[in-house]
Amino acid sequence: MSSVQSSVDSCPDCGEHIVESNGEAVCGSCNLVVEEQCIDRGPESRMFDENGTLKGGRTGATVVESRHDRGFSTTIGNHGDMAGLSGRQRRKVGRLRHQQSRTTIRSTSERNQVYGFCEIRRLVGALGLPENVQESACALFRSAQDAGLMPGRSLEGFAAAAVYATCRVQSLSRSLEEVADVGRGSQEELTVAYDAMNEELGLPTGPVDPSEYIPRFVSALGLSAAVEQYALAVAEVETATADGRKPTGVAAACVDIARQALVSGVCTQEDVAGAADVSARTVQNVTAQLREDGVLADVEVRG
DNA sequence: ACGATTATTGCGTTCTT
DNA sequence: AAGAAAACAATAATCGT
């Protein structure tokens, strides 16, 4: 890193020719930096794209992960070079400093919050949830931040977990898998974050009632209101079968029993299982258990 | 005592008959 | 529709620091 001259003629990555750019040897095709910068140009201001992200084609100093901005932040100085400037120019620089202080994100927690809120907003939209969920989830996200739960855990996990937790508190029936699928982080990150919040913040959530899912599954399959009522009746009677089992699986079984009893020709068992995102075998298992518990006969009398 | 890693258990899924 | 089996995630137990 002591010479401006490149030691190679072609890019090791794509074989393209090398061009000289601002004291760096850069591949003309893929922008790979072959030779790192050796002339100190001081602070730069050309490293952000419109979104403020740092991805792609970036050349220059070493990335510092320990700083919230990875060490890429630009500071407009207040000393030294101001000497030769006129009063008008000085005021102009002063305005620039002021504007930058507004746009620059000051702390990691603030940056995390902006990112987290963005992700929460995206999730709420993608899952078709009402607006108040966004508000509650953001508040919960902030609580987790204030409680110091986030260091060492996934940021995306907390955003998704905040949405999932809000759904559970408000009985809005979105499964962990559904949220995790739309979310940016993995399901494990979501679970870790949710457990942390549940433990430290004491979320007011009990076990999930399978009947919460029934209306959604019924409408997704285009089945009638009568089927929904029948399925809800099955879920009502059932108590012991559900515990320890996946609520979506139990809900699917209830819907499938109603389907068989009322509109067996309209769609298949596999369709019901698919709508609930469980296997057909699970539906069969739960149904068999319900039969064994005598739940079905109980509903038969009422229907 | 604490955290991390490994064993266990029961459920859901897939494959098969 | 049901039986068997490999797979998975959550929990319990053990180990090492």
Side-chain angles (χ1 to χ4, degrees), chain A residues 62-234:
Chain A
T62 313
V63 172
V64 183
E65 292 290 347
S66 58
R67 284 193 60 174
H68 76 280
D69 54 12
R70 292 182 170 184
F72 276 122
S73 63
T74 299
T75 308
I76 298 175
N78 202 15
H79 307 286
D81 297 341
M82 304 287 278
L85 300 175
S86 68
R88 174 176 290 190
Q89 284 171 322
R90 282 180 189 227
R91 274 190 284 111
K92 186 175 182 180
V93 174
R95 283 200 303 277
L96 283 171
R97 277 174 55 81
H98 185 233
Q99 286 182 357
Q100 193 195 37
S101 75
R102 281 201 235 154
T103 56
T104 302
I105 294 164
R106 269 160 282 221
S107 68
T108 52
S109 67
E110 201 173 329
R111 181 182 69 86
N112 287 349
Q113 189 171 309
V114 169
Y115 181 71
F117 283 13
C118 261
E119 177 71 355
I120 287 170
R121 186 178 179 175
R122 191 179 71 80
L123 288 169
V124 168
L127 291 165
L129 293 162
E131 260 185 53
N132 66 331
V133 173
Q134 187 184 320
E135 303 300 322
S136 303
C138 286
L140 187 59
F141 184 88
R142 196 167 191 167
S143 299
Q145 255 188 329
D146 293 344
L149 304 178
M150 310 209 25
R153 297 192 180 93
S154 158
L155 187 58
E156 292 86 352
F158 271 96
V163 174
Y164 173 65
T166 306
C167 288
R168 285 196 60 165
V169 171
Q170 299 192 12
S171 299
L172 282 165
S173 78
R174 291 302 187 281
S175 72
L176 198 149
E177 288 88 347
E178 283 177 291
V179 180
D181 281 351
V182 181
R184 200 136 183 75
S186 70
Q187 184 173 313
E188 192 195 347
E189 287 171 339
L190 195 165
T191 313
V192 167
Y194 179 80
D195 288 347
M197 286 197 288
N198 199 23
E199 185 136 336
E200 305 294 327
L201 268 42
L203 300 173
T205 56
V208 178
D209 185 355
S211 62
E212 283 178 30
Y213 292 101
I214 290 176
R216 231 160 35 93
F217 294 165
V218 168
S219 78
L221 291 160
L223 298 172
S224 65
V227 176
E228 180 177 328
Q229 292 216 318
Y230 194 104
L232 285 169
V234 177

